[in-house]
Amino acid sequence: RRQRQMCIRDRYTKAQQKAVHKYIKNNYDRIELTVKPKGRKEEIKTHASIHGETLNGFINRAIDEAIKNDTEGKKWVTKREL
């Protein structure tokens, strides 16, 4: 008989899962991000990992740095300008 691998969702009760989802819904904003071409997500994820960050952490840091640069008057170079 094949043993079933234990999934994270199997470790928590339905009530715990519901509480976590409620907390996230009330305390975080979610943004759907589309990157192209196909495979770019893995490139970004690998870059973040090499620098000790999660994909989400890297994206948030990039956003924070862009906002800081924009408010300090530094020019943000777009891909079209390269």
Side-chain angles (χ1 to χ4, degrees):
R1 208 190 282 180
R2 227 172 89 188
Q3 272 191 342
R4 188 174 149 220
Q5 281 189 325
M6 191 161 188
C7 220
I8 289 176
R9 69 175 162 240
D10 295 334
R11 295 183 199 168
Y12 301 102
T13 66
K14 295 280 185 198
Q16 287 172 314
Q17 290 174 18
K18 187 175 178 181
V20 168
H21 287 293
K22 181 180 177 182
Y23 177 83
I24 290 171
K25 182 180 178 186
N26 291 332
N27 293 284
Y28 294 92
D29 287 329
R30 299 192 56 87
I31 298 172
E32 185 173 325
L33 176 66
T34 303
V35 292
K36 68 176 190 176
K38 186 91 169 149
R40 180 87 166 132
K41 177 183 172 185
E42 274 308 310
E43 179 185 352
I44 297 167
K45 191 174 181 179
T46 300
H47 177 84
S49 180
I50 288 169
H51 295 281
E53 293 181 287
T54 62
L55 178 61
N56 193 60
F58 172 74
I59 291 168
N60 276 297
R61 182 173 61 83
I63 291 167
D64 291 342
E65 287 180 11
I67 291 171
K68 182 180 175 194
N69 288 341
D70 290 348
T71 56
E72 290 177 354
K74 294 180 184 174
K75 177 134 173 54
W76 180 263
V77 178
T78 65
K79 194 171 183 178
R80 290 183 186 147
E81 295 172 315
L82 294 177

